Amino acid sequence: MTLHTTDPFLDPTSLPVADRGPWLATSSGGMWSIHHPATRDVDIRDIAAGLSRNCRYNGQLVEECDFLSVSEHSTLMAEWAVRNGLARSREDALAVLLHDASEAFFGDMVTPVKNLIPDFKKIENLAQSVIIEAFGIGPENVVIRKEMIKLIDTRIRIDERDFGIAEPARTAGKEVIWADDPSLGSLGVQIRGLNPREARKDFLETFLWCIETLPARDQSIDNILEGHAQNARTHLAKINCAVVVEASPQP
C-alpha cells in the first residue's frame, strides 16, 4: 500500500498521475494530468518535444513552407525581447520563451476555435500556471508583463503571415490584427520554418542561453533552473548524436 504525506482528497496532486483522472503520455515517458497537474511533472524535454512538433496555424501554410513550429515562434519572441531590451533577466526571457508551454500538451488550437470552448481555456491556463511555477518564475521575479508578451505575440503573427499564409487570408488576417491598432507593425524577425528536430534543438539551446548568460534577478531559483538545465543538456546531446549518426556515410 502506498502512503501519501497529504490527504489525496484535499490535494489530488499528491497522488501518482495515473490516479488523478485523465492523463496524457509525454515524450520522456512521463504522464501529464489534465485536471490535476503538478510542478514535479514538468520536464523541459516534454515541452521542447511538444512545441517543436506542433505546427502553427493548424498546418494551413503555403506549399513552400513545410512547417512552422510553436517552438520556433517562442524562440524568436524570446530572442527579440532580449535584443530589444524588454527581457533583461533570465526570468523575463524565460517568461517569454515559455509563454505557450501548455501547448506542448494540448496543441496549438487556433484562436477562433479556442474562444468557442471555455473549458479548454481553463485547462490550458491551469497547465500554464503549473509550468511557470515549476521553473520558479512568476510575478515576484518577472518584470515583463503579460500584456507586453501578448503584444509581441500579436506582432510576430504579422511576420508569420507574410512567411506562410497565402492571399487573401494573409491580408485578411492582418486586418483583424490592425482592427485594434492600425499602426501595429511586425517584429521584423526572420522566420526559417525549421523542421521539428531543428526547432527543438534551437529551443533548448535558447533555454540554456537564457539561464547561463542573462543576469539573474532571483538567486533562490538557481537550483530549480539547474535541474531543468541538466535535462536540456542531456537531451541536446541526444539530438546532436542522432544528427551525427544520420550524417554518417552508409556502407
Side-chain angles (χ1 to χ4, degrees):
M1 182 173 118
T2 302
L3 296 178
H4 301 289
T5 56
T6 58
D7 185 346
F9 293 101
L10 297 177
D11 179 18
T13 61
S14 68
L15 294 169
V17 179
D19 295 333
R20 297 183 222 157
W23 55 269
L24 307 169
T26 68
S27 174
S28 64
M31 293 178 284
W32 183 262
S33 173
I34 294 176
H35 296 298
H36 303 289
T39 55
R40 69 179 181 277
D41 306 326
V42 177
D43 192 317
I44 187 62
R45 296 171 296 179
D46 296 329
I47 293 172
L51 296 185
S52 66
R53 290 167 174 147
N54 271 324
C55 191
R56 296 276 287 167
Y57 307 101
N58 274 0
Q60 297 298 326
L61 304 168
V62 294
E63 186 58 32
E64 297 81 5
C65 177
D66 285 333
F67 203 76
L68 177 53
S69 70
V70 177
S71 63
E72 180 173 352
H73 163 87
S74 301
T75 299
L76 287 172
M77 282 181 56
E79 291 174 346
W80 186 91
V82 171
R83 191 164 57 247
N84 287 273
L86 297 176
R88 298 178 181 272
S89 70
R90 66 179 183 185
E91 291 84 357
D92 288 344
L94 289 177
V96 180
L97 184 67
L98 298 171
H99 77 282
D100 277 338
S102 62
E103 294 182 6
F105 305 108
F106 302 121
D108 182 19
M109 183 181 290
V110 291
T111 301
V113 177
K114 187 185 298 185
N115 290 339
L116 297 173
I117 312 174
D119 285 346
F120 180 87
K121 294 179 71 172
K122 291 178 183 177
I123 292 170
E124 187 179 52
N125 289 339
L126 172 61
Q128 185 67 24
S129 66
V130 170
I131 292 169
I132 291 300
E133 181 183 353
F135 287 92
I137 57 178
E140 69 281 357
N141 56 22
V142 171
V143 171
I144 190 168
R145 297 272 65 91
K146 186 175 181 179
E147 295 75 17
M148 178 54 66
I149 297 175
K150 180 62 177 176
L151 178 61
I152 299 171
D153 200 348
T154 299
R155 292 181 61 188
I156 198 173
R157 284 160 53 196
I158 300 176
D159 296 286
E160 291 174 340
R161 278 166 168 74
D162 283 338
F163 177 82
I165 303 297
E167 293 289 9
R170 177 191 303 170
T171 298
K174 292 180 182 179
E175 289 174 350
V176 172
I177 294 173
W178 289 328
D180 292 328
D181 184 355
S183 67
L184 203 62
S186 70
L187 291 186
V189 295
Q190 181 181 358
I191 297 171
R192 294 182 288 168
L194 300 174
N195 68 44
R197 182 179 293 171
E198 292 170 332
R200 188 158 58 255
K201 182 173 182 290
D202 209 27
F203 180 88
L204 289 170
E205 288 175 344
T206 301
F207 175 76
L208 288 173
W209 183 85
C210 291
I211 293 175
E212 298 168 351
T213 306
L214 294 175
R217 182 175 290 118
D218 184 357
Q219 301 287 348
S220 70
I221 64 173
D222 285 357
N223 289 337
I224 294 175
L225 290 179
E226 181 54 31
H228 292 295
Q230 287 290 357
N231 281 340
R233 294 184 193 106
T234 300
H235 198 62
L236 270 174
K238 188 175 182 179
I239 292 173
N240 290 331
C241 181
V243 171
V244 170
V245 170
E246 288 184 359
S248 300
Q250 298 299 314

